[in-house]
Amino acid sequence: MNRKAVLLAMGCVLMWSTVASAFKLTLSLISPLQMLWLAVATSCGILAVAAAHQGKLQLAKDYLRESPGYFLLLAVLNPTAYYLILFAAYDLLPAQQAQALNYTWAVMLSILAVPFLGQSFTLLNGISVVIAYSGVLVIATQGDLLSLDFQNPLGVALGAGSSIFFASYWILNTRKPHDAVASLLLCFGLSLPILSVLMFIQDGFTAMPWQALAGGIYIGAFEMSLAFLLWMNALRLSSNTAQLSNLVYLSPPISLLLLAVIVGEPVMISTIAGLVLIIGGVLVGQAKR
């Protein structure tokens, strides 16, 4: 693989490895909605600068004029609904559990691709789903599978359910591909007024401690906009996108270590077992490709 592509991808992986800790620390100070508003506002600024630098602002305007409803739907799915649900899961669950459950979106993508993209559901797809959602069950019961005693069913439902919105977002992108930077700028730009209305309704525009402001800005930069731009450039430079994409799975173990050190969250054996099953399920589903 191209050395520069690997370095860019590793930089992105390191960014994503820190965000679970940032989510948990910031959520101890403000609500999921406030954190998302700060992150999306930050992302809008960074993506607008990137689009202007690449001469794509006019392209974004053309896209919006041609398909306003389509891009509004994308914005509702991601970042609005996806991150609100995911952040709510982080607010209810230990960060290590919410992070592991988030990886089910890749399996959900293979399920939704059957009715919406006309792809076949193979034996490997079925095995992938069974393995991955066995991991969800392990995490939900904290390893006590025989009693099926769900420790926080709402949090688990939110963490796994967020995958439906993220997978749906990518399904729509696949059906009608556009330039990535211009499309993402529109999604975040259209999401911001929606989130602003929700903030007014919930009295979210109140004074926030500087640590919360810093956390929201950090998440907008390193979970969303800058990480995306780095990853996009890495894929463009890579001669083997499959191998490059597998680097993403370095993120969970690094993230678990950071959660233990920074947040003080002890790593549960059930989380590691569940995460291994979920990622194993994702990799089995990718085997045919």
Side-chain angles (χ1 to χ4, degrees):
M1 284 190 291
N2 182 294
R3 185 170 179 269
K4 187 175 180 181
V6 173
L7 289 175
L8 289 173
M10 286 304 299
C12 189
V13 166
L14 289 174
M15 288 182 185
W16 282 330
S17 298
T18 66
V19 293
S21 297
F23 291 165
K24 204 64 181 175
L25 292 173
T26 307
L27 285 170
S28 68
L29 301 170
I30 54 176
S31 71
L33 176 59
Q34 289 173 313
M35 186 169 80
L36 181 57
W37 188 91
L38 287 169
V40 168
T42 301
S43 296
C44 284
I46 293 172
L47 290 168
V49 170
H53 178 70
Q54 298 176 21
K56 293 178 179 177
L57 285 178
Q58 185 58 49
L59 183 61
K61 293 177 184 177
D62 293 341
Y63 284 166
L64 185 59
R65 186 168 53 251
E66 293 166 6
S67 309
Y70 168 76
F71 282 102
L72 181 59
L73 176 58
L74 286 182
V76 168
L77 290 172
N78 178 50
T80 310
Y82 167 63
Y83 276 110
L84 273 178
I85 295 170
L86 181 65
F87 289 169
Y90 269 92
D91 204 27
L92 292 171
L93 295 171
Q96 60 189 280
Q97 292 184 345
Q99 175 194 238
L101 294 169
N102 187 35
Y103 278 87
T104 59
W105 77 266
V107 179
M108 182 57 65
L109 184 60
S110 70
I111 296 172
L112 295 181
V114 176
F116 294 110
L117 296 181
Q119 296 183 8
S120 58
F121 193 79
T122 66
L123 177 61
L124 278 179
N125 288 134
I127 295 172
S128 167
V129 170
V130 170
I131 294 174
Y133 285 98
S134 296
V136 172
L137 195 59
V138 169
I139 291 170
T141 61
Q142 293 188 8
D144 192 5
L145 291 173
L146 294 179
S147 69
L148 288 180
D149 181 16
F150 293 89
Q151 303 298 314
N152 193 323
L154 177 58
V156 171
L158 291 171
S162 66
S163 66
I164 298 172
F165 294 90
F166 199 51
S168 299
Y169 169 81
W170 284 111
I171 290 285
L172 285 175
N173 266 296
T174 301
R175 289 177 65 90
K176 195 173 180 181
H178 290 88
D179 176 82
V181 174
S183 177
L184 203 68
L185 174 60
L186 287 176
C187 290
F188 279 82
L190 291 171
S191 174
L192 190 59
I194 298 172
L195 294 171
S196 297
V197 170
L198 293 175
M199 286 278 281
F200 276 116
I201 293 172
Q202 297 189 17
D203 294 325
F205 288 108
T206 55
M208 302 180 203
W210 70 264
Q211 297 94 330
L213 294 173
I217 292 169
Y218 183 93
I219 291 162
F222 295 112
E223 157 70 8
M224 301 173 184
S225 49
L226 288 179
F228 166 77
L229 293 171
L230 271 184
W231 187 253
M232 185 182 66
N233 285 324
L235 289 176
R236 184 181 295 125
L237 292 170
S238 176
S239 57
N240 191 324
T241 56
Q243 287 185 2
L244 192 73
S245 296
N246 285 337
L247 292 175
V248 170
Y249 299 112
L250 294 174
S251 178
I254 300 172
S255 184
L256 289 175
L257 177 63
L258 292 176
L259 282 169
V261 173
I262 298 174
V263 182
E265 187 176 286
V267 179
M268 293 180 278
I269 299 299
S270 58
T271 299
I272 296 174
L275 183 60
V276 168
L277 286 169
I278 291 170
I279 293 177
V282 172
L283 293 176
V284 167
Q286 292 177 348
K288 64 179 180 179
R289 296 188 290 275

